[in-house]
Amino acid sequence: DTGVSQDPRHKITKRGQNVTFRCDPISEHNRLYWYRQTLGQGPEFLTYFQNEAQLEKSRLLSDRFSAERPKGSFSTLEIQRTEQGDSAMYLCASSPVSGIANEQFFGPGTRLTVL
Amino acid sequence: ILNVEQSPQSLHVQEGDSTNFTCSFPSSNFYALHWYRWETAKSPEALFVMTLNGDEKKKGRISATLNTKEGYSYLYIKGSQPEDSATYLCAHYGQNFVFGPGTRLSVLP
């Protein structure tokens, strides 16, 4: 399967714990995006990498959130001291620099539940 | 803050019915309008990328139109099938991607 993959698919954690999610983009794609989606809403942009450089971060991304893409391939999103409001679907997407109007290819998401 | 809206929020149709949904967006700073289909437990799947005013695109029974001057796009499904059941998302691409809340379609056999 050469699509975008995310791991884990589901995560249940207790409030205050740290969690880390992984995204493996399509191999030749330079751009990688993280989104958060809550019930009844569309995906909301969190952050964007071009290769290993984090070029943009949303105001939604509080200090408890950090994302890395150390070698310009896979990316991790860490949430520290989770809160119940962090419960959401976290989506990763990738796109090639030469794509059509920045067409993005999505992974299946990681569903986080904070108890 | 850019606001992308979709209507209706959800709808239920019978198999064989044709249906359409609306995506509305600010017409300023427009570069492209993307449509995605998102089935439960799967990845959102790209349907169309539309850039030009008056664009019409078609893929099988699904088609879309774009009006950038008035800021709307329509998605049409002809002869709905149960496998069309999904959430249909539109996204405005200008400076960033901004998604609408989606239209949840259920096609009843």
Side-chain angles (χ1 to χ4, degrees):
Chain A
D1 186 348
T2 56
V4 179
S5 61
Q6 292 187 244
D7 183 68
R9 294 289 303 274
H10 303 271
K11 179 71 177 179
I12 299 174
T13 191
K14 292 183 179 178
R15 190 175 54 188
Q17 298 294 304
N18 299 344
V19 294
T20 300
F21 311 141
R22 177 179 169 125
C23 171
D24 286 89
I26 294 171
S27 59
E28 61 268 26
H29 287 185
N30 322 66
R31 295 175 173 168
L32 187 147
Y33 302 80
W34 285 99
Y35 294 88
R36 179 173 66 191
Q37 190 255 345
T38 53
L39 198 62
Q41 303 294 319
E44 295 174 296
F45 169 78
L46 292 178
T47 191
Y48 152 57
F49 290 84
Q50 181 151 317
N51 300 312
E52 64 274 12
Q54 188 173 19
L55 296 186
E56 195 165 347
K57 291 168 62 172
S58 164
R59 284 171 290 177
L60 293 174
L61 212 65
S62 77
D63 291 345
R64 297 183 297 105
F65 287 68
S66 62
E68 294 183 343
R69 194 182 183 198
K71 297 181 181 177
S73 55
F74 73 90
S75 175
T76 57
L77 179 69
E78 181 182 15
I79 309 174
Q80 295 182 325
R81 304 180 304 281
T82 52
E83 301 172 357
Q84 287 182 325
D86 297 330
S87 296
M89 174 74 84
Y90 290 84
L91 287 164
C92 174
S94 69
S95 69
V97 171
S98 59
I100 302 170
N102 200 21
E103 182 178 8
Q104 299 186 8
F105 297 79
F106 281 86
T110 294
R111 182 169 294 283
L112 173 66
T113 302
V114 182
L115 302 176
Chain B
I1 296 177
L2 197 67
N3 199 31
V4 177
E5 298 177 347
Q6 291 187 246
S7 63
Q9 185 176 21
S10 65
L11 76 161
H12 301 260
V13 301
Q14 290 294 138
E15 183 175 355
D17 287 351
S18 294
T19 188
N20 64 84
F21 340 123
T22 304
C23 171
S24 59
F25 52 88
S27 52
S28 59
N29 294 322
F30 176 85
Y31 186 62
L33 193 285
H34 295 245
W35 280 100
Y36 288 87
R37 177 169 63 197
W38 193 4
E39 296 179 64
T40 303
K42 294 187 178 179
S43 307
E45 172 198 357
L47 288 174
F48 303 113
V49 180
M50 310 178 80
T51 56
L52 298 175
N53 184 44
D55 248 356
E56 288 190 34
K57 299 230 171 165
K58 187 174 180 182
K59 185 186 287 188
R61 295 178 292 100
I62 305 177
S63 60
T65 61
L66 178 67
N67 183 323
T68 59
K69 292 183 179 179
E70 295 181 38
Y72 65 83
S73 175
Y74 294 138
L75 188 80
Y76 301 90
I77 303 179
K78 185 177 177 182
S80 304
Q81 300 296 307
E83 58 265 31
D84 296 329
S85 297
T87 296
Y88 290 82
L89 293 166
C90 68
H92 172 280
Y93 177 53
Q95 192 170 2
N96 287 314
F97 261 72
V98 179
F99 282 85
T103 293
R104 183 185 294 275
L105 173 67
S106 297
V107 182
L108 308 173

